[in-house]
Amino acid sequence: MLEALAELLFPTRCAGCDLPGGLLCAACAERLPLIDPATACPRCGAPTVSACCVECADVPFTFTAARCAGVLEPPLSRMVALHKDAGERRLAPALASLALDVLSGWLEWPDAVCGVPASPAAVLHRGFDHGASLAASLGGLAGIPAIEPLRCRPRLDQRALTREQRRANAARSIVPHAGVHVPARVLLLDDVFTTGATLDAAASALLSAGAVEVRVVAVARACGGG
Ligand SMILES: [Zn+2]
Ligand SMILES: [Zn+2]
């Protein structure tokens, strides 16, 4: 009853184009800029047209492989932003399901799925940890236990930093909880893969807490950025 009233007053709108109806209309679902893992860079998940990926060349990663569901462009970019910045938590299962779609051949591999922890300031600002929310959704869909062994110390907003600054800032800020031990094979999930610096820092933290191998899956790949 309350839900029906809320729907009447504030109708659910498409995360891609604002059309009233569902969280994602058929037209926007159709034009999602999806990446085919078969033709993407195996190291960073970027769509690539050559054997040498311009996005991750010369960048060392502590995770062994990465897959990204789509390119960070509309309507996917809008879905990611609504989930993270506008607190539209109902989008978590939809975003997690896009990540699930690129896990072909990997589903039997992980012992656990782990989200990149949000900073305390971000959790306070948004009212929830979007990384943990996505990981819980993906874990539920894939039948993989979701774990939260990492924490994020206060840090600068990554978006204002250069590539090198991001790496240093991220590496300092993500650490395992004291005394935590994580399983051997961890699938690390984030909503956006930009330079990979944050994911690399989270993977390092997992390896320091007992993981043997970390693979990455991200909902969206920001390409050609700093
Ligand atoms: Zn739409
Ligand atoms: Zn690459």
Side-chain angles (χ1 to χ4, degrees):
M1 175 69 192
L2 273 178
E3 256 177 49
L5 186 65
E7 192 55 43
L8 196 67
L9 294 172
F10 311 101
T12 301
R13 288 175 181 279
C14 170
C17 69
D18 270 340
L19 194 79
L23 276 173
L24 190 68
C25 77
C28 285
E30 187 65 30
R31 65 186 180 96
L32 281 171
L34 300 180
I35 296 172
D36 179 357
T39 57
C41 170
R43 290 188 75 227
C44 78
T48 177
V49 289
S50 68
C52 181
C53 173
V54 294
E55 294 292 333
C56 72
D58 306 324
V59 183
F61 293 132
T62 49
F63 48 85
T64 55
R67 290 187 186 172
C68 301
V71 179
L72 190 66
E73 285 170 5
L76 186 57
S77 51
R78 207 154 177 263
M79 292 170 72
V80 165
L82 279 174
H83 172 254
K84 180 154 60 181
D85 296 323
E88 181 48 276
R89 301 176 68 169
R90 292 179 300 170
L91 281 170
L95 295 172
S97 141
L98 290 175
L100 181 68
D101 286 345
V102 291
L103 293 183
S104 155
W106 281 17
L107 282 174
E108 301 300 316
W109 178 82
D111 297 313
V113 58
C114 171
V116 171
S119 69
V123 173
L124 201 65
H125 175 69
R126 297 184 181 127
F128 75 117
D129 185 329
H130 70 281
S133 156
L134 275 181
S137 285
L138 180 61
L141 290 172
I144 305 167
I147 55 172
E148 293 181 39
L150 306 179
R151 67 188 179 90
C152 186
R153 297 193 285 213
R155 61 175 175 182
L156 306 168
D157 190 330
Q158 292 282 84
R159 285 177 285 199
L161 305 178
T162 66
R163 186 179 283 248
E164 276 315 303
Q165 287 171 329
R166 277 178 186 233
R167 194 162 290 280
N169 185 37
R172 275 194 303 270
S173 63
I174 300 180
V175 291
H177 287 294
V180 77
H181 187 81
V182 304
R185 296 183 299 264
V186 182
L187 182 64
L188 179 64
L189 167 72
D190 204 359
D191 57 351
V192 180
F193 186 130
T194 304
T195 61
T198 303
L199 284 157
D200 188 61
S204 290
L206 288 169
L207 292 166
S208 76
V212 173
E213 184 183 352
V214 177
R215 295 181 188 176
V216 161
V217 63
V219 174
R221 185 69 169 85
C223 297

PDB file of all heavy atoms in Angstrom, residues 41 44 53 56, ligand 2:
ATOM      1  N   CYS A  41      41.044  -6.394 -23.117  1.00  0.00           N
ATOM      2  CA  CYS A  41      42.367  -6.634 -22.529  1.00  0.00           C
ATOM      3  C   CYS A  41      42.211  -7.531 -21.298  1.00  0.00           C
ATOM      4  O   CYS A  41      41.443  -7.213 -20.394  1.00  0.00           O
ATOM      5  CB  CYS A  41      42.998  -5.299 -22.122  1.00  0.00           C
ATOM      6  SG  CYS A  41      44.503  -5.504 -21.142  1.00  0.00           S
ATOM      7  N   CYS A  44      43.263  -5.535 -17.872  1.00  0.00           N
ATOM      8  CA  CYS A  44      42.545  -4.393 -17.309  1.00  0.00           C
ATOM      9  C   CYS A  44      41.093  -4.298 -17.773  1.00  0.00           C
ATOM     10  O   CYS A  44      40.369  -3.402 -17.354  1.00  0.00           O
ATOM     11  CB  CYS A  44      43.277  -3.090 -17.632  1.00  0.00           C
ATOM     12  SG  CYS A  44      43.017  -2.505 -19.317  1.00  0.00           S
ATOM     13  N   CYS A  53      47.506  -3.237 -25.150  1.00  0.00           N
ATOM     14  CA  CYS A  53      46.481  -2.355 -24.600  1.00  0.00           C
ATOM     15  C   CYS A  53      47.092  -1.018 -24.195  1.00  0.00           C
ATOM     16  O   CYS A  53      48.017  -0.966 -23.391  1.00  0.00           O
ATOM     17  CB  CYS A  53      45.827  -3.030 -23.403  1.00  0.00           C
ATOM     18  SG  CYS A  53      44.683  -1.970 -22.523  1.00  0.00           S
ATOM     19  N   CYS A  56      46.679  -0.011 -20.151  1.00  0.00           N
ATOM     20  CA  CYS A  56      47.409  -0.540 -18.993  1.00  0.00           C
ATOM     21  C   CYS A  56      48.863  -0.873 -19.286  1.00  0.00           C
ATOM     22  O   CYS A  56      49.554  -1.440 -18.448  1.00  0.00           O
ATOM     23  CB  CYS A  56      46.694  -1.765 -18.424  1.00  0.00           C
ATOM     24  SG  CYS A  56      46.823  -3.234 -19.457  1.00  0.00           S
TER      25      CYS A  56
HETATM   26 ZN    ZN B   2      44.788  -3.336 -20.559  1.00  0.00          ZN
END
